[in-house]
């Protein structure tokens, strides 16, 4: 016995308080104590604790972990119980973490999803399950959260009402749950299948590939039908609404090229790959076709890239890496809370046919140009900011400049960037050396035998050969990007780093890190608050890959206040 309580006359049974020589901790995922009334996992410790499971070294290592709050060598036991502690110390049971699953790196509690579904009038029974989506070749794709509902009588025989109910449930889930806990589809069934022991028979639930998924608007024209079918085939979905975002449906940058190629082949069009970042739905892409591709190219290279504009929360502004474009942040859309807009900030001077000159003569002037765009969208704080690589240095200056102007910065996130060195020559080269610096900053190492002969045309060939969307831009735009990359890099390197008043959230790449790379502590002189580091199991150039986002997105959700906990 570890906990004891007097339950006579109690309004709600509790587990109680630790007994003599027992210790009970209620901890979060980072083994930090949670406040009273907040749910965490129960850990038990004390001199009576067992050493482990006999003959099960693997399970012992998982459940018997080092106790960071006691003497050296002490261990504590992960019970798997979800509990909360009252102000007077009593511990109450809130379920088991056995009902928790992970979807794209987020911890999802199926019981919590089911409680929200059951709160909708007209829902008699509800089951939430994670199902693996099957690709066209029969192999398993990514995981999707599905909701299976049984309507209360007499609605079960009224198909129109049942359809309305599924839409009502989804609408309620979007307001009551974080985006990653909202089911990808709501499926109406006659009854919940059960095993002989009375548990839900997951194997008997309808296969996801056989579902008539509740999607957005159906196709209204032959062209919309053709493009919707291409979306369905590329994404391995049974149905796609013409108003649904490619990225919200699970699309990512590796699927952008085959999607656009198939659309161009089917319609005889010449859409550039980057059009999907600006216009991610069927109807938006067809609008780009109707107005011509030049407008699409220009829009995707402007200073503001509105990746998601709807939502009730303050937007997250994401600053471009060395390439100058923020297209890669589109991968975050399906991981980010659906109520959080996502706005890319891009390098000025990239639009073909327009003036490419950056007039700023100091980093402060440059920061104010970026902030003018930010404040057109959001005039006052609090502001949420993020930057990757080159953009990490720039976003730190944007944050300090906002504070200089009297605005609140609620979040500053940096993806694997560190303060630049001020000493020595800040020039990043000219001619072939400049092109090599640009390619390396963009994540493309250059063979030694080509380093001395690089120019814009050859760089475009390399980008196309690597199926990079940048390979479809004009040589004029690429030349402008590289010239301005040199200018911006010079401004950043020549300007002393200001001090940011607050916490900095650093997402650090841990794979293939070059010897002598800067440490997290290099930010310490430039931050008054904490430096909260998250290890990302990817290379620097892949910080927005699916693997990297598995590490980044759950932490980002908590830091932005988008987590359910």
């Amino acid at each position: 016995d570890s906990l004891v309580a007097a339950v006579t006359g109690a309004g709600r049974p509790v587990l109680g308080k630790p007994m003599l020589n027992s210790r009970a901790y209620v901890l979060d995922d980072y083994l930090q104590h949670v406040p009273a009334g907040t749910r965490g996992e129960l850990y038990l410790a004390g001199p009576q604790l067992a050493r482990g499971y006999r003959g099960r070294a693997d399970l012992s290592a998982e459940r018997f972990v080092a106790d960071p709050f006691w003497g050296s060598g002490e261990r504590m036991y992960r019970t798997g119980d979800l509990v909360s502690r009252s102000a007077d110390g009593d511990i109450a049971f809130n379920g088991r973490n056995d009902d928790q699953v992970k979807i794209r790196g987020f911890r999802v509690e199926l019981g919590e999803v089911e409680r929200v579904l059951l709160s909708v009038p007209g829902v008699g029974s509800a089951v939430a399950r994670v199902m693996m989506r099957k690709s066209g070749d029969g192999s398993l794709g990514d995981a999707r959260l599905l909701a299976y509902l049984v309507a209360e009588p007499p609605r079960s025989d009224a198909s129109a009402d049942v359809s309305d109910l599924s839409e009502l449930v989804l609408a309620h889930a979007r307001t009551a749950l974080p985006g990653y806990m909202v089911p990808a589809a709501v499926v109406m069934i006659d009854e919940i299948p059960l095993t002989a022991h009375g548990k839900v028979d997951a194997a008997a639930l309808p296969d996801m590939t056989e579902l008539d998924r509740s999607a957005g608007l159906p196709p209204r024209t032959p062209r919309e039908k053709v493009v919707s079918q291409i979306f369905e085939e590329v994404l391995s979905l049974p149905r796609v609404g013409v108003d649904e975002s490619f990225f919200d449906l699970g699309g990512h940058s590796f699927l952008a090229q085959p999607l656009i190629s198939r659309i161009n082949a089917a319609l005889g069009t010449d859409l550039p790959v980057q059009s999907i970042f600006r216009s991610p739905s069927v109807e938006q892409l067809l609008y780009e076709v109707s107005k011509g591709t030049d407008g699409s190219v220009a829009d995707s290279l402007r200073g503001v890239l509105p990746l998601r504009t709807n939502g009730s929360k303050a937007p997250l502004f994401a600053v471009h890496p060395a390439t100058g474009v923020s297209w890669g942040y589109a991968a975050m859309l399906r991981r980010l809370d659906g109520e959080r807009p996502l706005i890319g900030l891009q390098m000025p001077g990239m639009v073909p046919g327009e003036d490419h000159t950056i007039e700023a003569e100091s980093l402060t002037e440059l920061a104010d140009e970026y902030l003018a765009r930010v404040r057109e969208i959001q005039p006052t704080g609090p502001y949420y900011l993020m930057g990757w690589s080159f953009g990490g240095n720039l976003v730190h200056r944007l944050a300090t400049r906002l504070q200089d102007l009297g605005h609140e910065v609620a979040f500053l996130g940096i993806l694997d960037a560190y303060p630049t060195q001020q000493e020595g020559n800040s020039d990043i080269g000219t001619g072939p050396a400049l092109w090599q610096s640009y390619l390396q900053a963009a994540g493309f190492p250059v063979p030694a035998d080509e380093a001395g002969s690089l120019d814009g045309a050859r760089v475009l060939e390399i980008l196309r050969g690597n199926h990079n969307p940048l390979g479809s831009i004009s040589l004029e735009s690429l030349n402008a990007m590289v010239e301005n990359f040199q200018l911006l890099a010079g401004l950043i390197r020549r300007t002393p780093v200001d001090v940011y008043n607050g916490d900095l959230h650093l997402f650090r790449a841990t794979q293939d890190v070059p010897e002598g790379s800067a440490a997290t502590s290099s930010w310490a002189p430039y931050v008054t608050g904490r430096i909260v580091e998250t290890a990302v199991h990817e290379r620097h150039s892949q910080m927005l890959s699916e693997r990297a986002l598995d590490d980044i997105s759950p932490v980002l959700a908590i830091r932005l206040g988008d987590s359910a906990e």
Side-chain angles (χ1 to χ4, degrees):
D1 292 337
S2 299
L3 305 173
V4 64
V7 297
T8 303
R12 177 191 178 195
V14 294
L15 300 181
K17 296 182 176 71
M19 296 180 67
L20 183 65
N21 287 331
S22 293
R23 302 190 300 277
Y25 309 129
V26 184
L27 308 178
D28 63 16
D29 289 346
Y30 304 97
L31 298 185
Q32 300 296 312
H33 295 288
V34 301
T38 303
R39 185 169 53 183
E41 184 171 354
L42 176 64
Y43 289 73
L44 296 175
Q48 82 286 10
L49 185 66
R51 295 183 179 181
Y53 291 103
R54 181 170 182 169
R56 292 294 308 275
D58 55 340
L59 189 57
S60 296
E62 176 186 338
R63 289 291 183 178
F64 291 83
V65 297
D67 184 345
F69 312 108
W70 208 254
S72 177
E74 290 285 326
R75 295 195 172 274
M76 57 185 182
Y77 176 68
R78 289 188 65 179
T79 66
D81 291 335
L82 300 176
V83 301
S84 58
R85 193 193 299 268
S86 66
D88 62 3
D90 271 325
I91 295 172
F93 182 70
N94 283 281
R96 291 279 303 169
N97 64 9
D98 303 327
D99 289 334
Q100 295 174 347
V101 295
K102 277 200 171 184
I103 301 177
R104 302 189 297 274
F106 287 100
R107 188 178 70 183
V108 174
E109 296 184 23
L110 299 179
E112 178 64 22
V113 176
E114 290 169 355
R115 280 191 289 275
V116 169
L117 301 177
L118 286 168
S119 69
V120 178
V123 176
S125 304
V127 171
R129 285 294 181 271
V130 173
M131 306 288 274
M132 299 301 294
R133 189 177 67 186
K134 291 182 181 178
S135 300
D137 60 2
S139 61
L140 292 179
D142 57 354
R144 291 296 176 91
L145 177 64
L146 299 183
Y148 297 89
L149 305 182
V150 177
E152 285 183 336
R155 299 181 62 119
S156 58
D157 60 352
S159 58
D161 286 346
V162 168
S163 176
D164 291 343
L165 179 60
S166 64
E167 293 299 328
L168 183 63
V169 167
L170 270 179
H172 178 66
R174 292 187 184 107
T175 62
L177 294 168
Y180 59 88
M181 289 177 69
V182 176
V186 171
V187 187
M188 304 303 303
I189 55 179
D190 294 333
E191 61 180 0
I192 304 295
L194 302 176
T195 66
H197 300 287
K199 296 184 177 181
V200 174
D201 186 356
L205 291 168
D207 190 296
M208 184 173 179
T209 57
E210 300 170 356
L211 301 178
D212 182 15
R213 192 179 67 87
S214 177
L217 294 173
R220 296 155 293 193
T221 68
R223 275 194 157 197
E224 285 186 348
K225 185 173 183 179
V226 168
V227 178
S228 293
Q229 288 175 341
I230 294 172
F231 269 59
E232 291 163 5
E233 291 165 5
V234 170
L235 295 171
S236 300
L237 288 174
R239 182 180 166 222
V240 169
V242 298
D243 57 338
E244 293 187 292
S245 167
F246 172 75
F247 298 104
D248 285 343
L249 294 171
H252 48 76
S253 57
F254 289 109
L255 293 177
Q257 181 70 59
L259 177 84
I260 296 298
S261 295
R262 292 185 63 176
I263 291 173
N264 285 335
L267 301 182
T269 54
D270 193 25
L271 283 170
V273 175
Q274 63 262 33
S275 59
I276 192 64
F277 299 103
R278 175 73 183 186
S279 304
S281 72
V282 171
E283 60 183 2
Q284 288 173 320
L285 277 177
L286 287 175
Y287 175 70
E288 299 291 355
V289 170
S290 69
K291 73 176 185 179
T293 58
D294 288 345
S296 173
V297 172
D299 286 346
S300 68
L301 295 175
R302 296 196 186 282
V304 172
L305 181 69
L307 294 166
R308 179 194 288 152
T309 57
N310 61 305
S312 60
K313 297 182 177 179
L316 174 63
F317 292 95
V319 181
H320 63 86
T323 57
V325 297
S326 296
W327 301 346
Y329 288 108
M332 294 176 59
L333 284 172
R334 67 173 175 151
R335 311 286 194 116
L336 199 64
D337 188 309
E339 291 299 311
R340 177 81 61 186
L342 179 60
I343 309 296
L345 299 180
Q346 304 196 123
M347 182 189 294
M350 299 188 296
V351 177
E354 296 185 5
D355 185 8
H356 303 311
T357 306
I358 294 180
E359 301 291 347
E361 296 183 358
S362 70
L363 190 58
T364 297
E365 288 183 19
L366 178 69
D368 285 349
E369 287 186 21
Y370 280 69
L371 294 182
R373 302 181 225 156
V374 168
R375 295 181 64 190
E376 283 183 5
I377 298 168
Q378 184 186 347
T380 60
Y383 291 101
Y384 297 79
L385 306 173
M386 170 175 281
W388 172 27
S389 187
F390 182 91
N393 298 108
L394 186 52
V395 79
H396 181 270
R397 180 55 182 141
L398 298 186
T400 60
R401 186 64 183 141
L402 278 169
Q403 291 182 336
D404 290 343
L405 297 172
H407 295 283
E408 178 189 354
V409 178
F411 173 81
L412 175 60
I414 291 181
L415 303 181
D416 206 46
Y418 306 90
T420 54
Q421 298 297 313
Q422 305 302 317
E423 67 275 5
N425 184 6
S426 65
D427 187 14
I428 58 174
T430 59
L434 174 58
W435 286 107
Q436 183 177 11
S437 295
Y438 179 79
L439 270 179
Q440 288 175 337
F444 295 97
V446 182
D449 59 350
E450 286 201 58
S453 60
L454 284 175
D455 59 16
R458 177 59 186 135
V459 168
L460 276 178
E461 288 180 6
I462 293 173
L463 293 170
R464 290 172 187 145
N466 285 275
H467 306 290
N468 189 292
L470 279 172
S472 63
I473 68 173
S474 69
L475 182 58
E476 177 190 358
S477 290
L478 184 64
N479 283 330
M481 285 178 182
V482 175
E483 290 172 12
N484 290 336
F485 161 63
Q486 182 184 39
L487 188 151
L488 267 61
L491 289 179
I492 290 173
R493 294 187 179 200
R494 291 193 298 270
T495 305
V497 183
D498 282 356
V499 177
Y500 171 68
N501 184 25
D503 295 341
L504 185 152
H505 302 277
L506 179 69
F507 298 89
R508 183 178 181 88
T510 61
Q511 304 299 307
D512 299 333
V513 179
E515 188 175 348
S517 295
T520 299
S521 59
S522 63
W523 278 113
Y526 312 111
V527 178
T528 64
R530 298 177 303 153
I531 300 174
V532 184
E533 178 187 304
T534 297
V536 179
H537 297 87
E538 260 291 11
R539 293 175 289 137
H540 172 83
S541 62
Q542 299 296 315
M543 288 295 284
L544 290 175
S545 70
E546 292 295 301
R547 176 66 191 87
L549 291 175
D550 284 345
D551 294 326
I552 294 170
S553 298
V555 177
L556 191 62
I558 294 171
R559 300 304 175 190
L560 294 180
D562 293 340
S563 173
E565 296 186 0

